[in-house]
């Protein structure tokens, strides 16, 4: 299936969550914090901490670690 | 009577579902994960397990043979309530369910301690590192340290080694030398597990350092090096013991926190654990909570591991079957032979582990003024001190309101206990039982869209 990361088309081979998909492509940083602009990535990995939030299909604050990749998904990462 | 609602598809929820189905009942299992198994049996589409997969497949097979057990995976309960003997839950797909019987099997997540740099990308919880690996073989880094306290650090480090990660060290902050020798006397199966992990770590020449901790992570935009130190019995840094090591990721874990958000919403009575002061659901011998028809099993009643969760789930499932009139109490007794004794034995073992791997108050000495306490709202240690000493906050709630600590998107799941302990120390007393309970008060458990909310209002 095809997904888009910051507009770039990427082939995804398996259904996995957005967080592990990005990590395997060396995308450790998923967002910048809103007050200090510091980089953040996955921390708890199980949907508890909300540190890995990214914009998916135009909807902000989606947890990368518990959101499954879907065909045509558009993921926006800030780094 | 409506079918039983089971919140959580981990070991406790699965074993309860099996007992209900065996008694001829129906149930729905709700889990945020698309697949059954919970955190312990977290797996990807190919369901590979390094070990202990047999028990999972046995449960999953039995559940799949019972069409009256529905599995609602990838679904989150964002609200729960209890009124007039009926428990109701609202799901993030806009639907809701209600039943006279409900099981809280919401499990636990890593307990974290803050330290300078814990917010850098590349710094993860031990459970998080494990979850990435189990779900899809993703690695948090190439060269990592595993640190914190508790027996869980060993399987995490061992599975990282097996996945090809260079584990530079396992740092256990507590003085557990000698303790490991008692393990066998208490629980032989745990001793066998531990021996397996030690063998993997020894073969890979991973240093296991007892009485050491990561006290700082540093790097430009991500973890590039760690500061480790020898700590005393209270976790205070021993002078002259500081070392700096290069690495590209760290996994830290300090035991587990039961997830009590929905339990709190259902209004069940909670206890404060005598050893680690965590908030746990109060249950009777049948795993029933203070609310009639609402049961709890697994980590939500106190962290005890997979074996305890499986037994508590069975006890709860059988008790639910009796309450629903599916089986007689005599029948239930026959189905429960040995369960109560086994539960009591494992609970004692779990309590012993908790006291050995207790978090000691000296961790606060690792904090710098600029260390982040609340990751969501980016509140620093200096700001927390400020609201106590300059703004006069004299209780945890006021300190949170003035500093925004614990008021971000995770709703204090990560820093709630940390804030309670830090504020308590600053005002010169321990957090009260009610302050600890207050950590779990989250009327909206997970964020939902306005569209979902509107749909549910119809």
């Amino acid at each position: 299936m095809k997904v888009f990361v910051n507009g770039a088309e990427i082939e995804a081979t398996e259904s996995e969550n957005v967080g592990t998909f990005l990590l395997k492509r060396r995308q450790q940083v998923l967002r910048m914090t809103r007050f200090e602009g510091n980089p953040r990535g996955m921390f708890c990995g199980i949907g508890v901490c909300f540190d890995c939030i990214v914009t998916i299909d135009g909807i902000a604050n989606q947890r990368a670690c518990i959101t499954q990749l879907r065909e045509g998904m558009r993921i926006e990462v800030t780094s | 009577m409506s079918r039983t609602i089971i919140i959580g598809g981990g070991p406790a929820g699965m074993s309860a579902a099996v007992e209900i189905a065996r008694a001829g009942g129906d149930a729905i299992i709700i889990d945020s994960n698309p697949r059954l198994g919970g955190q312990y049996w977290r797996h990807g589409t190919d369901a590979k397990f390094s070990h202990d997969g047999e028990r999972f497949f046995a449960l999953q097979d039995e559940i799949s043979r019972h069409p009256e057990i529905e599995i609602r995976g990838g679904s989150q309960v964002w609200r729960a309530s209890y009124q007039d003997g009926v428990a109701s839950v609202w799901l993030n797909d806009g639907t809701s369910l209600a039943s006279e019987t409900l099981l809280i099997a919401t499990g636990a997540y890593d307990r974290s301690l803050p330290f300078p740099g814990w917010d850098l990308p590349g710094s993860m919880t031990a459970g998080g590192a494990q979850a990435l690996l189990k779900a899809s073989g993703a690695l948090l880094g190439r060269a990592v340290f595993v640190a914190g306290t508790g027996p869980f650090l060993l399987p995490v480090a061992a599975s990282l080694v097996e996945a090809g990660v260079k584990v530079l060290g396992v740092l256990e902050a507590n003085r557990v030398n000698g303790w490991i020798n008692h393990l066998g006397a208490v629980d032989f199966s745990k001793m066998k597990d531990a021996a397996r992990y030690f063998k993997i770590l020894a073969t890979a020449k991973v240093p296991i350092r007892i009485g050491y901790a990561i006290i700082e992570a540093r790097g430009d935009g991500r973890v590039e090096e760690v500061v480790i130190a020898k700590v005393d019995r209270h976790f205070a840094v021993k002078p002259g013991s500081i070392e700096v090591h290069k690495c590209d990721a760290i996994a830290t874990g300090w035991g587990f926190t039961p997830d009590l958000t929905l339990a709190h919403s259902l209004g069940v009575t909670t206890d404060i654990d005598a050893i680690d002061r965590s908030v746990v659901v109060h249950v009777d011998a049948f795993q029933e909570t203070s609310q009639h028809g609402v049961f709890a099993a697994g980590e939500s009643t106190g962290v005890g591991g997979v074996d305890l969760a499986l037994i508590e789930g069975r006890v709860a499932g059988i008790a639910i079957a009796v309450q629903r009139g599916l089986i007689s109490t005599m029948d239930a007794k026959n189905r429960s032979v040995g369960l109560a004794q086994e539960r009591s034995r494992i609970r004692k073992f779990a309590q012993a582990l908790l006291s050995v791997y207790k978090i000691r108050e000296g961790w606060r000495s690792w904090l710098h003024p600029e260390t982040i306490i609340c990751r969501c709202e980016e509140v620093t240690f200096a700001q927390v001190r400020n609201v106590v000493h300059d703004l006069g906050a004299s209780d945890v709630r006021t300190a949170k309101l003035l500093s925004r600590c614990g008021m971000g998107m995770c709703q204090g799941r990560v820093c709630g206990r940390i804030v309670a302990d830090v504020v308590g120390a600053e005002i010169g007393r321990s957090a009260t039982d009610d302050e600890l309970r207050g950590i779990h008060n989250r009327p909206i458990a997970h964020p939902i869209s306005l569209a979902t909310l509107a749909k549910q209002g119809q």
Side-chain angles (χ1 to χ4, degrees):
Chain A
M1 69 178 136
K2 286 182 180 63
V3 299
F4 300 86
V5 179
N6 291 346
E9 185 180 308
I10 299 179
E11 186 66 28
T13 50
E14 57 167 320
S15 177
E16 61 180 311
N17 68 57
V18 173
T20 56
F21 172 74
L22 292 173
L23 188 64
K24 285 177 181 172
R25 280 148 193 85
R26 304 261 173 161
Q27 186 79 45
Q28 206 174 30
V29 178
L30 298 176
R31 69 175 177 116
M32 307 303 272
T33 60
R34 65 192 196 285
F35 297 122
E36 303 292 330
N38 288 324
R40 290 282 173 85
M42 275 193 288
F43 179 66
C44 80
I46 58 169
V48 170
C49 77
F50 289 78
D51 245 327
C52 65
I53 49 178
V54 294
T55 298
I56 294 173
D57 294 335
I59 303 170
N61 300 331
Q62 304 296 302
R63 285 165 283 180
C65 73
I66 58 164
T67 306
Q68 295 290 304
L69 280 183
R70 286 185 306 269
E71 171 72 39
M73 185 180 255
R74 292 184 170 271
I75 306 158
E76 309 296 330
V77 177
T78 346
S79 61
Chain B
M1 269 200 174
S2 321
R3 61 182 173 169
T4 300
I5 299 168
I6 298 175
I7 311 177
M14 289 177 83
S15 69
V18 162
E19 289 298 338
I20 292 168
R22 282 179 187 170
D26 51 0
I28 177 167
I29 304 177
I30 304 161
D31 200 292
S32 59
N33 226 10
R35 287 171 282 274
L36 288 175
Q39 301 308 339
Y40 180 73
W41 284 314
R42 179 180 273 260
H43 58 280
T45 40
D46 56 350
K48 274 189 299 192
F49 296 98
S50 59
H51 78 301
D52 201 18
E54 300 82 7
R55 290 194 289 182
F56 170 76
F57 288 118
L59 285 169
Q60 194 186 42
D61 287 350
E62 188 159 355
I63 288 171
S64 66
R65 282 199 301 274
H66 288 283
E68 61 278 18
I69 304 289
E70 186 192 337
I71 298 152
R72 191 81 63 91
S75 195
Q76 281 185 324
V77 177
W78 65 270
R79 183 182 162 213
S81 78
Y82 181 87
Q83 207 173 7
D84 304 326
V86 176
S88 305
V89 296
W90 286 261
L91 309 183
N92 61 346
D93 62 4
T95 61
S96 62
L97 300 161
S99 177
E100 298 84 4
T101 51
L102 177 144
L103 177 69
I104 299 165
T106 46
Y109 54 88
D110 286 80
R111 186 168 165 191
S112 294
L113 291 183
F115 54 89
W118 73 309
D119 50 326
L120 284 171
S123 159
M124 287 196 73
T125 65
Q130 179 90 311
L132 304 184
L133 203 55
K134 284 183 179 177
S136 70
L139 310 177
L140 78 162
R142 301 284 177 273
V144 313
F145 279 95
V146 177
T149 193
F152 182 57
L153 300 180
L154 296 173
V156 171
S159 53
L160 289 173
V161 165
E162 287 182 314
V165 173
K166 173 83 183 157
V167 177
L168 301 166
V170 177
L171 314 182
E172 165 58 60
N174 272 303
R175 303 306 169 98
V176 294
N177 283 333
W179 161 252
I180 206 76
N181 302 325
H182 304 308
L183 267 175
V186 196
D187 194 325
F188 183 67
S189 68
K190 289 281 172 296
M191 189 68 198
K192 277 203 306 194
D193 284 345
R196 202 176 68 83
Y197 304 138
F198 279 123
K199 193 179 167 201
I200 293 166
L201 297 173
T203 308
K205 297 192 169 55
V206 175
I208 299 174
R209 304 177 74 179
I210 308 294
Y212 282 81
I214 289 178
I215 59 163
E216 186 175 353
R218 296 172 182 160
D220 182 13
R222 60 183 180 85
V223 173
E224 291 171 334
E225 62 182 33
V226 284
V227 181
I228 73 179
K230 200 168 177 127
V231 294
D232 67 16
R233 273 183 298 130
H234 309 291
F235 286 6
V237 172
K238 288 199 166 179
S241 69
I242 303 267
E243 303 167 21
V244 179
H245 294 271
K246 297 269 176 233
C247 65
D248 65 0
I250 54 175
T252 58
W254 299 92
F256 296 93
T257 300
D259 189 343
L260 290 208
T261 307
L262 297 172
H264 196 281
S265 296
L266 289 162
V268 306
T269 299
T270 51
D271 292 325
I272 306 293
D273 184 272
I275 296 167
D276 75 351
R277 300 203 75 214
S278 61
V279 186
V280 298
V281 176
H282 178 88
V283 288
D284 66 13
F286 302 101
Q287 303 293 137
E288 190 168 16
T289 70
S290 60
Q291 303 281 44
H292 181 75
V294 177
F295 294 74
E299 311 297 53
S300 58
T301 69
V303 171
V306 61
D307 297 331
L308 185 56
L310 288 168
I311 289 170
E312 290 189 358
R314 286 191 63 193
V315 172
I318 294 166
I320 287 167
V322 172
Q323 198 169 98
R324 288 177 58 180
L326 300 167
I327 56 171
S328 67
T329 49
M330 201 56 217
D331 192 352
K333 270 193 186 131
N334 293 333
R335 290 167 194 244
S336 310
V337 173
L339 291 182
Q341 295 89 321
E342 188 66 355
R343 180 178 60 188
S344 143
R345 184 187 70 78
I346 306 176
R347 275 185 187 160
K348 276 190 198 125
F349 176 68
Q351 288 288 313
L353 280 182
L354 263 189
S355 48
V356 171
Y357 295 102
K358 204 174 155 182
I359 294 176
R360 322 284 163 176
E361 70 286 354
W363 65 266
R364 290 194 304 270
S365 66
W366 311 342
L367 302 175
H368 297 173
E370 66 279 12
T371 303
I372 293 287
I373 298 292
C374 171
R375 302 169 65 95
C376 298
E377 295 298 298
E378 302 174 69
V379 183
T380 64
F381 182 44
Q383 286 171 297
V384 176
R385 291 186 55 123
N386 177 57
V387 297
V388 173
H389 300 295
D390 298 340
L391 302 180
S394 59
D395 62 275
V396 173
R397 197 179 120 83
T398 310
K400 282 165 72 175
L401 288 171
L402 293 175
S403 68
R404 303 190 320 277
C405 240
M407 300 178 74
M409 279 199 83
C410 93
Q411 301 193 75
R413 283 177 172 89
V414 177
C415 76
R417 177 62 189 272
I418 296 165
V419 175
D421 288 344
V422 167
V423 170
E426 294 298 325
I427 60 183
R429 63 163 171 83
S430 299
T432 64
D433 290 0
D434 282 342
E435 284 175 335
L436 294 173
R437 288 189 171 99
I439 293 169
H440 302 278
N441 180 18
R442 301 173 193 107
I444 294 180
H446 291 280
I448 50 153
S449 68
L450 283 173
T452 304
L453 197 59
K455 195 171 157 193
Q456 242 144 11
Q458 284 165 8

